Amino acid sequence: MIEKPYRLPARLGLLSAAAAEPFLTEDLLKGVEGHAGVDLDKVVEPSDDDDPRWEVEPLRDLIEDAMHAFRDNRTQADAWLAPRLHAALRLTRREAADRRLWNHLALAVAPDYVAWRHYSRTTSRIGPERFRGALDRQCFSRLWWAAEMFRDGGDYAPVVAACGNQDLIHSALRRELIDHRPTAQALVRVLERGIATTGREIEGLMTAINTVAVTVVYDAFAPDLPRDPDALGTWIAEAGNATSVPRHTLPYGPDEDPAPPESVEALTRYFIDLFETAPIRGRESQR
Amino acid sequence: MKFYPYKRLNRPIALRVTSASLKLPDGTRDHLDTSAFSVPQRTVALGVAQHDAWVSARIGLSATLPPGAMADDAPWSGLRVLVMLTDGETNVRRVVDLRQDAPGSKEWSGTVELLRDEHVGRASLSAQAVATVDDVPGRSIAETDEDWTVDVTADEPLGGLRLDVKQVGFARSSRAWLQAYADVPWIVDTSGRVPAVWVNTDVEGFSDLLDAENGGIENKVHELLVSQMSTDVWTAVFHSALGDLEVEPDGSPVFPTDWRGEVLREMLPDVAPGAHVEEALRRVHRRRTGDAGWVELQTRIHYAAVRRAGAGKALSQALRALQQLNRGDKA
């Protein structure tokens, strides 16, 4: 199995997919053997300033704790790690959209985590997209973005609920509908109330929500608030002074306003109604 | 053609960008002149003023509703016009209400704010008219038929595929991965956010030739080379766009939201002529992932790439220049 890299970089940098390609060896993807960190170092673009956010050690510690705590159930690590990774690695969306950052984290800092979490026993392989791939597929970017899309202001509790259901994050992250914050929060509530829970039910509900969105604009009756850039800016600026992310309680995210509760509640009722009346493929019984 | 179970307007909303200004880190505001946006290209280029850093942009908009929206006997009430700013790369969705210019007017206007830290490249602007129809709130009764693009870095409002061209010596590049390609004049890298051409300046005289703008034969050779590179780029971007498709549970491919989507929409009509782009994408995807037909498609992909690269024009101009040169030598 892949082990902790012998030589860890001190700081996160940028690793382009083209530069990363030679390191995605068959042995790595089969989970047999990692690469020599020395050569990888040469092709990484170093981060440009002495921003404390790019320090690798706190991230590495966090990832090791996740592997330890969930050694018997690796899929549950997602719900634990997503909010903590988000709080430990404080990024703007512009920064988080840069796949090169995630490539470096996966290949140079924690290839052992990627292997541990995503090794498929059926194919005896790790999908290469887990190291360098679309933001909703790559091992770490999918967690960070799940936390970003499902957090309610500074509250990470909805992230835990969403990530606890693999089907929800898998189908939600590749859809635009959760770009509307009240919709994302309402989906979590539908899930928490036990109304749609299985993969097929969730997939069916999201398809129905998308279909209705052709003729109904949810923003019209469930508006969101504009985001306050200062709250996020302050949170990011404090990264250097922040204590390490709590392991037993949830961290706090940026001090942004939550999605308007009346919008979330209106949509929750709307989706429940939709789920119960619309012909949804995969629903257990026609109630 | 979509069918709606309620009455709506059958013509689109016309959306225009009327102004753009940047808020700078010191709190001042720079109003961009009209060269920052292009109506025919439906594009706003926020990089025109060459500010290294800006915090946010405010874009002024005006929308004209199609006839009938304000009719007294219209079957809707509570009409509103919303503008959506969306970005598929950063999952941003920002929605603002426009204000009606005067009671009964079909002209609406307003502004939308865009935060620099929420975007990497391009965002889209669209408008929708919503109203309560048959007691259903939030019904969409008309929308824009083409989005505006807001490019946060471009210094010219041009649509289409954006390409990053970088000139470096491969052999001694600090980007060690380029060293493996030291024996070729250029490579194409489609793995990044926008496709890039890396030009190897170790080939002596190459970058001079590429920068040549002095007329004469150098210029023609330059054009020919650029068209050759463009052919490579178009071929590479098409393959990488197609190779990276998301697939719905029912197996049908989804159009990507970034440049990959633009490339596919642009090239598919030449690759699978006669089919609507959605159908063309399904066909081509089936050919690539199925047992047969992928090899046969290569000629069409190459054809589509050569056409876009303007290779025919560049070649004929180079040939004509050569003829003239030979004639001159003989005279």
Side-chain angles (χ1 to χ4, degrees), chain A residues 16-19 42-43 45 92-95 97 99 134-136 145 149 173-176 179-180 203 214-217 219-221 226-227 229 281, chain B residues 2 4 6 80 82 84 89-95 115-120 128 130 137-140 174-177 189 191 246-249 257:
Chain A
S16 79
K42 291 183 194 156
V43 297
E45 284 179 48
T92 63
R93 289 192 177 195
R94 175 184 171 191
E95 290 166 332
R99 293 197 202 181
L135 292 172
D136 62 338
W145 278 99
M149 302 314 289
L173 278 186
R174 55 195 188 85
R175 286 199 156 92
E176 282 172 24
D179 298 358
H180 182 231
E203 190 62 39
V214 174
T215 61
V216 171
V217 180
D219 310 77
F221 57 88
R227 295 201 356 162
R281 197 168 49 178
Chain B
K2 287 174 188 157
Y4 296 89
Y6 58 95
R80 292 162 66 190
L82 304 179
M84 281 91 180
E89 272 185 282
T90 53
N91 302 318
V92 167
R93 177 187 178 87
R94 201 169 251 264
V95 176
L115 303 178
R116 180 64 190 94
D117 275 339
E118 285 193 344
H119 303 275
V120 188
Q128 275 198 323
V130 297
R139 283 287 200 205
S140 155
S174 58
R175 293 180 177 84
W177 64 276
D189 173 13
S191 70
E246 298 238 4
V247 180
E248 290 280 6
T257 50

Side-chain angles (χ1 to χ4, degrees), chain B residues 128-178:
Chain B
Q128 275 198 323
V130 297
T132 300
V133 188
D134 304 334
D135 296 330
V136 180
R139 283 287 200 205
S140 155
I141 57 168
E143 60 267 305
T144 38
D145 57 353
E146 251 187 292
D147 290 357
W148 272 74
T149 299
V150 182
D151 194 316
V152 294
T153 57
D155 50 17
E156 248 185 301
L158 296 173
L161 182 66
R162 213 173 72 206
L163 196 64
D164 211 358
V165 180
K166 294 173 185 151
Q167 301 200 3
V168 287
F170 287 8
R172 283 169 304 278
S173 170
S174 58
R175 293 180 177 84
W177 64 276
L178 281 172

Side-chain angles (χ1 to χ4, degrees), chain B residues 10-163:
Chain B
N10 46 24
R11 303 247 307 267
I13 300 175
L15 180 69
R16 288 167 310 277
V17 167
T18 53
S19 67
S21 66
L22 299 181
K23 190 175 156 199
L24 304 179
D26 62 7
T28 59
R29 201 164 262 289
D30 184 4
H31 294 269
L32 304 179
D33 65 42
T34 52
S35 68
F37 44 94
S38 154
V39 175
Q41 299 275 357
R42 310 179 77 78
T43 299
V44 185
L46 295 176
V48 281
Q50 313 277 344
H51 291 293
D52 287 338
W54 47 274
V55 180
S56 61
R58 182 178 295 161
I59 295 168
L61 296 157
S62 82
T64 309
L65 296 186
M70 302 299 152
D72 290 337
D73 56 349
W76 46 74
S77 60
L79 180 71
R80 292 162 66 190
V81 180
L82 304 179
V83 165
M84 281 91 180
L85 174 84
T86 54
D87 185 337
E89 272 185 282
T90 53
N91 302 318
V92 167
R93 177 187 178 87
R94 201 169 251 264
V95 176
V96 293
D97 266 287
L98 297 187
R99 282 178 322 275
Q100 195 168 18
D101 288 356
S105 168
K106 56 189 172 55
E107 302 294 330
W108 296 61
S109 53
T111 58
V112 63
E113 292 275 336
L114 173 150
L115 303 178
R116 180 64 190 94
D117 275 339
E118 285 193 344
H119 303 275
V120 188
R122 288 174 173 178
S124 297
L125 280 173
S126 61
Q128 275 198 323
V130 297
T132 300
V133 188
D134 304 334
D135 296 330
V136 180
R139 283 287 200 205
S140 155
I141 57 168
E143 60 267 305
T144 38
D145 57 353
E146 251 187 292
D147 290 357
W148 272 74
T149 299
V150 182
D151 194 316
V152 294
T153 57
D155 50 17
E156 248 185 301
L158 296 173
L161 182 66
R162 213 173 72 206
L163 196 64

Side-chain angles (χ1 to χ4, degrees), chain A residues 32-114:
Chain A
V32 181
E33 197 180 15
H35 52 81
V38 187
D39 289 339
L40 186 69
D41 247 14
K42 291 183 194 156
V43 297
V44 173
E45 284 179 48
S47 34
D48 41 21
D49 44 32
D50 48 13
D51 195 324
R53 294 183 297 154
W54 312 129
E55 279 165 20
V56 156
E57 202 187 316
L59 298 173
R60 180 68 216 180
D61 286 349
L62 188 63
I63 289 166
E64 282 181 19
D65 287 355
M67 281 193 279
H68 179 74
F70 296 92
R71 57 193 177 279
D72 300 324
N73 193 336
R74 55 184 184 161
T75 49
Q76 283 180 5
D78 288 356
W80 187 87
L81 187 55
R84 289 172 178 85
L85 176 67
H86 188 274
L89 187 53
R90 301 184 177 186
L91 304 172
T92 63
R93 289 192 177 195
R94 175 184 171 191
E95 290 166 332
D98 192 338
R99 293 197 202 181
R100 296 174 301 171
L101 180 77
W102 304 111
N103 294 343
H104 190 228
L105 182 56
L107 267 163
V109 178
D112 48 337
Y113 183 87
V114 183

Side-chain angles (χ1 to χ4, degrees), chain A residues 16-23 43, chain B residues 168-173 175-191 198-203 206:
Chain A
S16 79
E21 204 54 36
F23 299 94
V43 297
Chain B
V168 287
F170 287 8
R172 283 169 304 278
S173 170
R175 293 180 177 84
W177 64 276
L178 281 172
Q179 292 166 11
Y181 305 104
D183 58 341
V184 296
W186 70 79
I187 58 161
V188 178
D189 173 13
T190 58
S191 70
W198 293 86
V199 171
N200 189 354
T201 53
D202 291 341
V203 179
F206 192 27

